[in-house]
Amino acid sequence: MSLTLAEPQQQFQPQPQAQQAEPQAVSLAPREEEALRHIAAGHTYLQTARHMGLSKHTVDAYLRRIRSKLGVHTTAELTRLAIALGL
């Protein structure tokens, strides 16, 4: 069985941008940095919460905010980024 296309696909050609946006520096709050440091060290959300004196839901909120700010989606990406930042 073989599949054929009725029409050839057009290749994607990026449109030139009038202005290139400069990368913005992202800053994390001190508690966000602390939560990221714990998660990067291999602690669970609950362990992190207990150490920081927070609810695990608060730790989850911190990490969701960090993911949003930094544009990462997985804990592995967060860990890699934390190591790169020296946390």
Side-chain angles (χ1 to χ4, degrees):
M1 175 194 269
S2 67
L3 299 174
T4 58
L5 297 174
E7 295 179 25
Q9 291 183 346
Q10 295 179 355
Q11 290 184 341
F12 174 73
Q13 296 177 357
Q15 298 293 326
Q17 293 180 351
Q19 289 182 323
Q20 292 282 341
E22 291 190 24
Q24 297 178 347
V26 176
S27 63
L28 298 178
R31 294 295 267 182
E32 290 173 341
E33 282 186 23
E34 185 178 354
L36 179 57
R37 197 170 30 253
H38 285 287
I39 296 301
H43 298 134
T44 65
Y45 282 28
L46 186 58
Q47 290 169 330
T48 300
R50 286 182 179 162
H51 188 269
M52 294 177 67
L54 302 170
S55 156
K56 69 178 180 177
H57 301 289
T58 304
V59 171
D60 180 55
Y62 283 163
L63 294 171
R64 276 187 279 121
R65 219 176 309 149
I66 293 168
R67 284 187 179 101
S68 175
K69 286 180 181 181
L70 301 178
V72 298
H73 303 288
T74 65
T75 302
E77 288 175 306
L78 277 177
T79 301
R80 182 191 57 79
L81 194 61
I83 291 168
L85 293 173
L87 297 178

